[in-house]
Amino acid sequence: MNTGRKLAITFAAVATMGMAATSALADKMYGPGVTDDSIKLGNTMPYSGPAAAYGQIGKSTAAYFDKINKENGGVNGRKIEFISLDDGYSPPKTKEQVRKLVEQDEVLLIFESLGTPTNSAIHNYMNKKKIPQLFVATGATKWGDPENFPWTMGWQPSYQTEGALFGAYIMENVKDPKVAILYQNDDYGKDYVHGLKEYLGDKADSVIVAEESYEVTDPTINSQMIKLKDSGANVFFNVTTPKFAAQAIKKFRELNWDAVFLNNSVSNSVGSVYKPAGLDNSKGIISLMYYMDITDPGNFETEGYKKWSKFMDEYYPDGDKTSAFTAYGYLVGQTMEQVLKQAGDNLTRENIMKEAANLDLELDMMLPGIKIQTGPNDFFPIEAMMPVEFNGEKFNSLGKVVSVN
Amino acid sequence: MDLFLQQLLTGLANGAIYACLALAVVMIYQAIDHFNFAQGEMAMFSTYICWAMIAGGVPYWIAFFATIVVSFIGGLAIERIIFKPLHNAPVLSHIVVFIGLVAIFNSFAGAIWDHNIKTFPSPFPEGSFGGLIGLHEVGMFFVTLLLLFAIFCFFRFTRVGMAMQAAAANPDSAGLVGIRVGWMLALGWGLAAAIGAVAGMMIAPIVFLEPNMMLGILLYGFAAAIVGGISSPGGAVAGGFLVGIIENMAGTYIPAIGSELKLTVALILIVTVLLFKPNGLFGKTIVTRV
């Protein structure tokens, strides 16, 4: 009898303790890769191979996490363990590395993985396994499709968004516009054209007077340029990669074509496009930007630049302070930090997605008026950009942000 | 009319690009009886060597000729080191090595000089004839003709040139009359590499220098060589201009083709010529006695 009572008490005590434990877990909900003092995040980057230049993005993000681990003790008391693996920009390798990150390292999520073909290779896997694939470093439009792929989200303005923003710029700034488009004949080129057409709506047929495509194997795009000029267009919209962009700029000047030159951000680079094409030839080209040009001395005195520059000196001294990639990695790192902050102690994969789709964030290196905003049905974080004009040395802001909203 | 003239001249300018590389293709074919798939990458690599010299402060023309010499020696070395041991191997082994060379040259160029596009200087003055055709394109046109003339003289009037043809057409008999067949092959490689280098240095100012510069151009170069006749340098040059012009005209005036199917036009040309006139429009029919 005595034994029986004792047992009953013990059971009751155990039951109470169990309940207490459950209620403690209700405050702290953890997904894989999370403990009381650490969070594991996974990533793939081309640190080798033809796209190795992009590797700087991963290195600067890693440096940013070093900084917050050291200065703030991580996020909400948990240090960030950033595991970034090399995939050499090869999709099968990406798959292998992501499997390793998910199944062996057991990361909470994958974020900022670089490249369209590489992310496409893991797109289904991530969504089937219900693991967040956040802020992928590519401009394809398909990353913003919460209905079919609720675990994937992009970061930078998508090609389609940018196409639409150029549409907004044209309608606001060019009188009686007649647009001629040169685009690469693949998903990237077509996304831009699609975005522009969707924005123009009924007017697309009358505003767009000529479209020419090229293949990456084409030696030159001269023949296309001649046809486009012949259409009598007063706006030239260039949707090409750096080599063809440099060719297009040269030919544009050679033909003495008197039109507004709009250049897509894929080849909006002084070093790899405007310089080879000739800085004089590149004067007056208009493009869209969303974060500050870190090579422009006019920005050196801003608060955002100073903070970034100090960060670079302390945590990534080998990094190239003239490469936009290092600023990109820093900004995406800050976005991730914000998601983790908002998620608090509820670090399940579901809640991470919920918070990623609940952002309203201003970062000090972004251009004025441009915010990171998401919602349950809006997986496109950046949807506004600033038109800028290249003056032969640097980009001058044209003042008014264009937005599709 | 203006559009027609512009497209015609642009076609000619593109044709000059194809013709230049087609000459190198024909040269190697004359020597080894195969296409060399690595011809384009070798030319690209030579161009990088010239670029590096110019970037290092060497004057253009010295760099230009030094590159030709270096490329000649390089081509010679490739034959002696890689292909001599494979001499009796089947054709497929050769093709595998060609493809291997493509990957090697391409990756090394990327690793040494990175993948950003580079401006390559032109020896001709800047500007154009009334916006119709660039002065560099005109200059290149004449360089191609000059190269053609030199090759023609080499094969027609020099003993070495004739010995080389003999070694390619009938190695056994050539050996019996005292021609060193092995060295003729090596010489063919060297000359093809040198011609490729000239082609690369002429093409780079137009398309910008980068490791994948020759990827598409080599395909057009093959088309030019086949259309004109793989055994005839003159035919290859004419073929180059023909391909350039047909491609542009079809792209401009046949709406069904447009810019999207321009490359297809080149491939259709290859197939059509191979079907109906396998020796090309200007090629000789070679009769082999059994």
Side-chain angles (χ1 to χ4, degrees), chain A residues 49-50 183 185 190 212-215 217-220 222-224 226-227 230 242-243 246-247 250-251 254-255 271-273 275-277, chain B residues 3 6-7 10 14 17-18 115-117 119 128 131 134 137 205-208 210 212-213 216-217 220 248 251-252 258-260 262-263:
Chain A
Y183 67 97
N185 193 14
K190 286 176 184 166
E212 286 292 322
S213 69
Y214 70 92
E215 307 291 330
T217 47
D218 282 359
T220 74
N222 290 346
S223 171
Q224 284 91 327
I226 292 169
K227 266 166 90 180
D230 198 62
K243 177 171 100 173
Q247 287 187 6
K250 264 176 85 174
K251 196 69 192 175
E254 209 177 286
L255 291 169
S272 57
V273 176
K275 238 189 224 155
Chain B
L3 180 67
Q6 274 185 320
Q7 291 291 13
T10 308
N14 282 354
I17 295 179
Y18 310 151
H115 284 80
N116 275 339
I117 58 168
T119 323
S128 64
E137 276 94 338
I206 304 174
V207 304
F208 291 101
E210 49 112 17
N212 296 325
M213 163 174 108
I217 298 177
Y220 286 103
N248 263 11
T252 310
S259 301
E260 288 189 8
K262 269 171 67 186
L263 182 63

Side-chain angles (χ1 to χ4, degrees), chain A residues 52-343:
Chain A
Y54 291 117
Q56 294 180 60
I57 292 178
K59 286 182 189 159
S60 42
T61 303
Y64 182 71
F65 288 140
D66 285 347
K67 174 184 145 85
I68 57 175
N69 282 343
K70 199 174 153 202
E71 293 177 8
N72 313 343
V75 180
N76 295 334
R78 292 182 191 85
K79 296 235 160 141
I80 294 181
E81 205 182 309
F82 182 58
I83 311 174
S84 180
L85 302 178
D86 181 16
D87 67 4
Y89 207 72
S90 148
K93 187 92 188 165
T94 314
K95 224 170 175 176
E96 190 189 317
Q97 299 286 45
V98 166
R99 277 231 166 91
K100 187 172 167 291
L101 287 167
V102 169
E103 285 158 30
Q104 280 178 25
D105 298 321
E106 298 195 316
V107 296
L108 175 64
L109 54 90
I110 302 280
F111 96 105
E112 201 192 38
S113 287
L114 191 131
T116 303
T118 43
N119 274 298
S120 300
I122 56 168
H123 201 191
N124 274 322
Y125 173 79
M126 300 298 284
N127 281 274
K128 227 176 245 165
K129 287 216 133 198
K130 303 190 171 169
I131 305 166
Q133 180 185 16
L134 283 178
F135 311 137
V136 294
T138 126
T141 307
K142 62 179 173 187
W143 315 124
D145 181 9
E147 208 170 293
N148 298 311
F149 293 95
W151 297 88
T152 306
M153 190 185 287
W155 187 77
Q156 69 197 61
S158 73
Y159 299 145
Q160 201 173 311
T161 305
E162 205 188 316
L165 293 175
F166 271 115
Y169 177 82
I170 293 168
M171 296 318 275
E172 281 169 29
N173 294 285
V174 184
K175 237 194 209 167
D176 190 17
K178 281 179 281 182
V179 182
I181 312 173
L182 176 67
Y183 67 97
Q184 186 160 304
N185 193 14
D186 61 10
D187 282 354
Y188 137 67
K190 286 176 184 166
D191 268 3
Y192 266 102
V193 178
H194 182 72
L196 175 66
K197 282 190 179 163
E198 213 173 51
Y199 181 86
L200 295 175
D202 302 339
K203 287 185 219 130
D205 285 338
S206 57
V207 169
I208 299 172
V209 294
E211 282 173 58
E212 286 292 322
S213 69
Y214 70 92
E215 307 291 330
V216 277
T217 47
D218 282 359
T220 74
I221 40 86
N222 290 346
S223 171
Q224 284 91 327
M225 288 297 286
I226 292 169
K227 266 166 90 180
L228 290 173
K229 189 202 169 188
D230 198 62
S231 70
N234 58 7
V235 176
F236 170 56
F237 183 26
N238 179 55
V239 186
T240 66
T241 45
K243 177 171 100 173
F244 296 102
Q247 287 187 6
I249 294 167
K250 264 176 85 174
K251 196 69 192 175
F252 183 83
R253 294 294 170 220
E254 209 177 286
L255 291 169
N256 288 319
W257 187 358
D258 185 23
V260 179
F261 193 125
L262 303 177
N263 190 17
N264 72 154
S265 62
V266 169
S267 45
N268 185 32
S269 156
V270 179
S272 57
V273 176
Y274 299 150
K275 238 189 224 155
L279 291 174
D280 256 355
N281 291 336
S282 308
K283 268 185 196 164
I285 290 178
I286 291 167
S287 52
L288 299 173
M289 283 181 143
Y290 58 99
Y291 61 93
M292 69 170 61
D293 174 15
I294 47 171
T295 57
D296 175 7
N299 286 326
F300 290 176
E301 288 310 309
T302 59
E303 208 47 44
Y305 182 89
K306 277 187 193 160
K307 264 164 55 188
W308 173 76
S309 174
K310 186 165 166 269
F311 150 76
M312 286 295 285
D313 292 341
E314 279 178 39
Y315 293 94
Y316 189 20
D318 301 337
D320 181 0
K321 272 165 86 174
T322 62
S323 156
F325 296 149
T326 49
Y328 183 102
Y330 172 79
L331 288 166
V332 180
Q334 286 180 317
T335 314
M336 191 69 238
E337 181 192 6
Q338 178 64 27
V339 173
L340 296 176
K341 254 185 206 160
Q342 281 178 214

Side-chain angles (χ1 to χ4, degrees), chain B residues 29-33 87 161-182 184-185 286-290:
Chain B
Y29 192 84
Q30 291 279 20
I32 65 171
D33 230 22
H87 188 58
M162 282 192 239
M164 223 166 93
Q165 280 173 301
N170 195 337
D172 295 338
S173 310
L176 287 176
V177 296
I179 295 168
R180 294 170 69 183
V181 176
M184 287 302 130
L185 290 180
I286 294 170
V287 183
T288 313
R289 201 177 296 171
V290 191

